[in-house]
Amino acid sequence: MAFVRNIYNRLQFSYGWYFTFVQGFVYLFLIYFQGFTPKKMVNPWKTYVKLSAVLMGSHGLTKGSLAFLNYPAQLMFKSTKILPVMVMGAFIPGLRRRYLVHEYVSAIFLVLGLILFTLADAHTSPNFSVIGVMMVIGAIIMDAFLGNLQEAIFTLNPETTQMEMLFCSTVVGLPLLVPPMVLTGEVFKAWNSCSEHLYVYGVLVFEAIATFIGQVSVLSLIAIFGAATTTMVTTARKAVTLLLSYMIFTKPLSEQHGTGLLLIAMGITLKLLPFDIKPVYKRVSTSSSSSANGKQETLLLVKLKRKNPMV
């Protein structure tokens, strides 16, 4: 996606709402190509109203913030998403997640490591525009709600498919993008600018196809492992992407890079360590048809094992 951002930066295009609107139609075409139809829905449309508003708001603010923040600064802020995801998971109806101390420490290590690595990767100091910071913080909060809401829908109705969630949230969300596009005047500026550079629509389609694959993969991870684990995986992916860029393009690694990588490794290692509760043996009385007295004492193994949403 660095190639795509290069084109946007070179043209000084940062029309977050409009680009999200165009890419929404590409999503619908790809979903239709996959054979999904509304007849296959298992949830009512109202389930996706709140989800769609959060999804479109997150996409629009994320893309729009690049007009006020450079990419390293945005990546640094977005890497902190795991923490609000974990906190908000405790308040979402249908989830009420509880995390242990080591899980929060693991997330903090991962976030700090990626921030250090990102800052070291920046050739210039990140541009901390107040408007850009507010936009990206808004996107982070919406992302935190989004992952937990998606997990809640999968939990309450296991028959929900990734295609249904993506289709319904896109259909409901597209009209929600119209008011901010019109009120900010972005729709007119973007239409005129893109009309002068028609190849931008090709770039938008290419980006939409790539993000569509990513969205389906992320939804699959959320359905299986939960929002917090998925966010940790995607956060770690950012670090791997940055590291590969240094390996492929043979860029020098500084001490700050090494410190960031060490913190990231510590966070992932801490996450993988087992913290299961020891099993407890309980003596209970049970009836037995083969016993002459009609009762027989047996030992039952009761495993008090906490369901770990981070595994």
Side-chain angles (χ1 to χ4, degrees):
M1 290 294 101
F3 169 73
V4 174
R5 291 190 181 91
N6 237 357
I7 295 177
Y8 294 160
N9 292 337
R10 183 158 50 86
L11 296 174
Q12 296 184 340
F13 282 6
S14 187
Y15 306 122
W17 305 113
Y18 182 77
F19 285 177
T20 303
F21 186 76
V22 173
Q23 290 179 341
F25 287 98
V26 180
Y27 278 20
L28 294 180
F29 173 78
L30 293 173
I31 294 171
Y32 176 78
F33 183 75
Q34 294 291 324
F36 179 83
T37 62
K39 295 180 181 179
K40 298 181 180 180
M41 290 175 56
V42 296
N43 293 301
W45 282 100
K46 64 179 181 180
T47 303
Y48 297 101
V49 174
K50 185 188 299 184
L51 180 68
S52 302
V54 175
L55 176 65
M56 295 303 170
S58 171
H59 286 345
L61 289 174
T62 298
K63 288 184 172 65
S65 66
L66 286 173
F68 306 95
L69 295 174
N70 57 30
Y71 180 63
Q74 188 200 64
L75 180 61
M76 185 180 65
F77 278 101
K78 293 283 283 185
S79 65
T80 64
K81 185 174 67 174
I82 176 64
L83 297 177
V85 167
M86 295 174 69
V87 172
M88 291 181 186
F91 303 99
I92 298 294
L95 292 181
R96 304 296 183 185
R97 295 296 191 195
R98 293 294 183 268
Y99 301 98
L100 298 179
V101 175
H102 84 276
E103 294 170 332
Y104 284 105
V105 174
S106 172
I108 291 172
F109 279 163
L110 188 65
V111 167
L112 290 178
L114 188 55
I115 289 176
L116 283 175
F117 201 98
T118 303
L119 287 176
D121 189 55
H123 296 291
T124 58
S125 298
N127 177 23
F128 289 97
S129 166
V130 176
I131 297 177
V133 170
M134 295 301 294
M135 291 178 72
V136 78
I137 289 177
I140 291 171
I141 295 174
M142 289 186 175
D143 280 343
F145 273 116
L146 178 64
N148 284 302
L149 287 174
Q150 289 169 333
E151 183 183 355
I153 293 174
F154 282 127
T155 301
L156 297 174
N157 194 345
E159 296 181 359
T160 305
T161 64
Q162 291 82 2
M163 287 300 166
E164 174 186 331
M165 186 170 291
L166 199 53
F167 172 80
C168 295
S169 57
T170 303
V171 169
V172 177
L174 281 176
L176 300 177
L177 293 174
V178 176
M181 282 195 303
V182 174
L183 291 176
T184 60
E186 181 178 303
V187 62
F188 309 108
K189 297 177 184 177
W191 176 265
N192 294 331
S193 300
C194 293
S195 297
E196 297 176 1
H197 304 86
L198 291 177
Y199 68 89
V200 171
Y201 288 105
V203 176
L204 284 173
V205 172
F206 171 77
E207 183 184 17
I209 294 173
T211 55
F212 175 81
I213 298 172
Q215 287 284 344
V216 174
S217 301
V218 167
L219 288 174
S220 300
L221 288 173
I222 290 175
I224 299 172
F225 300 106
T229 298
T230 300
T231 305
M232 181 166 281
V233 170
T234 56
T235 302
R237 176 193 58 80
K238 294 183 179 72
V240 174
T241 301
L242 289 173
L243 180 60
L244 287 176
S245 70
Y246 275 80
M247 296 174 62
I248 295 173
F249 299 105
T250 62
K251 294 187 287 186
L253 287 172
S254 65
E255 292 182 359
Q256 189 171 344
H257 286 107
T259 304
L261 288 174
L262 180 61
L263 288 173
I264 291 170
M266 290 172 61
I268 295 174
T269 302
L270 186 60
K271 160 67 180 64
L272 295 176
L273 290 177
F275 285 85
D276 293 335
I277 300 176
K278 295 181 179 180
V280 177
Y281 291 90
K282 190 185 219 179
R283 185 179 296 274
V284 297
S285 296
T286 59
S287 59
S288 174
S289 58
S290 61
S291 174
N293 298 328
K295 286 188 179 181
Q296 179 182 0
E297 281 195 351
T298 60
L299 283 176
L300 297 181
L301 175 61
V302 180
K303 290 185 178 180
L304 301 178
K305 187 175 182 181
R306 184 182 64 89
K307 183 181 179 183
N308 190 348
M310 293 286 287
V311 174

